[in-house]
Amino acid sequence: MAHKKWIVADADKEKASLLSEKLNIDPFIAFLLVSRGIDDELSVSDFLSESCAFTSPYSLADMDKAVKRINKALDNNEKICIYGDYDCDGVTATALLYTFFESMGADVTYFIPNRLTDGYGMNMSAIDKIKSLGTDLIVTVDNGISAVKEAEHIYSLGMELIVTDHHQIGDTLPKACAVINPHRDNNKIKFHDFAGVGVAFKLACAVYDGDVAEMLEQYADLVAIGTIGDIVPLKSENRGLVRTGLKLINSNSRIGVNALRRAAGNDENELSSVDVAFQLCPRINAAGRMDTANIAVELLICDDYDEARFKAEQLNLENIHRHEIETNIAEDIREIIDKNPSLIEDRIIVIAGRNYHHGVIGIAASNIVSVYGKPSIIIGIDDDGKCTGSARSVDGFNIFEAISSCSDILTHFGGHPLAAGLGIDENNIDLFRERINDYAREKYPVMPPQILRLDCKLSPFYLNIDLVDNLTSLEPYGAENSQPVFGLFNVRLMSVTSIGDGKHIRIEVQKKGQNVKVVQFNISAEDFPYKAGDMLDLAVKVSKNYFKGKYYLSVRSVDIRLNGIDDDKYFLQKSDYELFKLGYNGKNNLLPRREDFALIYRFLKQNNGWKYSFDDLYFALGQAVSYGQLSFALDAFCEAGLITFEGESVILNKTEGKADLDNTNVMKTLKGRLSIE
């Protein structure tokens, strides 16, 4: 995985101490809250409170108009169609409004667009189909705010429209009886970051015109799942909605949710927001990624347990299928990179492959970002030459603006600073790669690093069940309220043990006589680049597991590295090297000296080559040579026949005599470009 810059949060200890005393809360919890910017009595009290004050749904502009139009439809038995979306947020919002309207006696149906054939949002052919069913009123959830042309088409067919959406608003609102969006300027609310399902819930509350608590008892589970799945900030009302929803999920949730829990293999243990994010949401999303999301809606509105179990198992199979396709795409991408390693030297990695499933390329792009630490765009080329791309980025690099700079050669594009999508003709892919990287070199001479934020440094002595229990007051975890990450610094590695059929490891580390066992997922003992005796820094999360009537501490590694690494030095040197490779003027610290060659080769001989990553080698050398010096030294060794590369692994060759490294083409070219004789 790509090296990350670790940033340990800072906090005013005196302020935390005062809050702890005044509010009678655990001092450590007070410290964590202050480090997260929750640093006054009112905000801390609101955050920790079990209750939540929900604003009136009528604080949202046009809510009164929406209620009036829906009541008219109910009174006149008009046909209502809910126009949803294929992701977890859209699916839960659709299920919520469908179930609610049905309980109100409405003649209601729903439509979920197909990701592959319909694309995102409203489209003309779907509207025509909805009209053919005798629909009078369309109510959107999680989409519609940008459907200006489609709204005109709806009215031209004699139907009417209510838009509920949470996406950013463009210059023109669509024609509608009501447009409900928390980002409208004329709303009377302070909190704006609801998920689509949260906005749909507000509409249902307004139409019901009853006790919000009663509505939460019916629908909080759906709101929680959709809110967690859409990764909106778990603050303010979202926090209250998710907390209430988790209680419902773990006590008396609907049949479909219970069946999905069972299919995910977790129908007995209590689910946290993290469990929902990693167990329930992916299975709901899998339906829309691989085929149609209708089965996910059918599951959530189902009232027959046997039918619900069948549909939940189908979603489980879709999720397994998604994993298989994801693996196949990842393998194809690795082959492409092996054949053309220069692709990963670009500022933005752009990789195109044949017939990549459109529902999975976003996940593939995220994986490339994780591995290489750079913005990445994965493009699937269809048989007809049309291409669909999905982009993911790192904090600090606006991928949407980068893509916008190439808009003249794209068929369509859209998105946000960290994620975007695009369409392009096959014959423009190489030009797109060139131009977007030109943009990146000009606008981002130093690429923003991937950041890992640590809540605080912690001694291993404080890792226990009591700590985990105290941390529950911070839950539910999610966007802008992530599960705490603690830094265990300067610990000694004692042992490494394979677990999970060799796919994962458990390491034991020690500091001042205190031993801690830590699990690291998705790495084998053979691929773990550290050995007993190494001094390490660990970033970890803590939880507890229940086994045979007893709770046990569980410590999971988020990241592991050698102690004493200088992040700023690494990222600056790497940026200098990459810019030089891309044709920019270089610095003298790129040229390996005689003593650098000796240090690197001696280390390789002592370790019988190197079977881990280039970055691991750089850090194992104690950053004694620069990133560029190491890379060019290895290239010179290879040209001189001293080593052979197998991927990133370095194989030592049997040689006789001394190699003239200064006379290699690598060194001659390097000295020429650096104007060094």
Side-chain angles (χ1 to χ4, degrees), residues 458-527:
L458 203 62
S459 166
F461 286 92
Y462 291 99
L463 295 179
N464 52 47
I465 294 294
D466 289 339
L467 171 65
V468 178
D469 288 339
N470 285 340
L471 291 174
T472 57
S473 61
L474 300 178
E475 295 187 29
Y477 299 128
E480 298 189 22
N481 184 47
S482 56
Q483 186 177 359
V485 177
F486 302 115
L488 308 181
F489 284 78
N490 201 27
V491 297
R492 183 180 299 279
L493 178 62
M494 306 302 293
S495 64
V496 181
T497 306
S498 293
I499 58 174
D501 296 326
K503 296 178 181 179
H504 318 294
I505 59 172
R506 178 184 292 110
I507 66 172
E508 187 167 6
V509 297
Q510 183 186 85
K511 186 173 184 178
K512 295 181 180 179
Q514 181 72 20
N515 286 38
V516 178
K517 292 181 179 180
V518 182
V519 172
Q520 170 90 356
F521 290 114
N522 301 316
I523 189 169
S524 66
E526 185 179 24
D527 293 331

Side-chain angles (χ1 to χ4, degrees), residues 141-152:
V141 291
D142 195 29
N143 75 98
I145 196 64
S146 60
V148 176
K149 293 181 180 178
E150 292 81 1
E152 292 290 346

Side-chain angles (χ1 to χ4, degrees), residues 105-118:
D107 180 3
V108 60
T109 186
Y110 62 86
F111 176 85
I112 303 286
N114 185 295
R115 181 192 295 264
L116 303 182
T117 58
D118 297 316

Side-chain angles (χ1 to χ4, degrees), residues 84-95 112 141-142 196-197 226 230 297:
D85 188 32
Y86 43 67
D87 68 0
C88 187
D89 186 17
V91 165
T92 51
T94 302
I112 303 286
V141 291
D142 195 29
V197 70
D230 213 53
V297 179

Side-chain angles (χ1 to χ4, degrees), residues 641-677:
L642 296 175
I643 65 171
T644 302
F645 289 115
E646 288 187 4
E648 289 189 276
S649 297
V650 177
I651 311 299
L652 287 176
N653 296 330
K654 292 183 178 180
T655 59
E656 295 182 3
K658 292 187 177 181
D660 186 1
L661 296 172
D662 283 332
N663 203 36
T664 59
N665 289 326
V666 170
M667 291 299 289
K668 289 179 180 178
T669 302
L670 182 56
K671 288 180 178 180
R673 284 195 56 193
L674 294 174
S675 300
I676 297 174
E677 295 185 3

Side-chain angles (χ1 to χ4, degrees), residues 4 30 34 53 95 217 336 350 463 468 486 512 559 592 612 618 637:
K4 297 178 177 65
V34 171
E217 290 176 6
I336 291 172
V350 180
L463 295 179
V468 178
F486 302 115
K512 295 181 180 179
D559 200 8
Y612 309 111
Y618 168 80
F637 288 157

Side-chain angles (χ1 to χ4, degrees), residues 173-226:
L173 291 179
K175 180 179 181 180
C177 301
V179 177
I180 302 170
N181 187 306
H183 297 290
R184 289 189 65 178
D185 293 335
N186 52 344
N187 290 321
K188 297 177 181 179
I189 55 173
K190 293 182 179 180
F191 182 73
H192 308 276
D193 294 323
F194 294 99
V197 70
V199 182
F201 178 71
K202 289 285 189 182
L203 175 63
C205 288
V207 173
Y208 183 67
D209 197 23
D211 188 353
V212 173
E214 187 178 342
M215 293 293 286
L216 287 170
E217 290 176 6
Q218 297 297 318
Y219 304 108
D221 53 350
L222 295 177
V223 181
I225 294 169

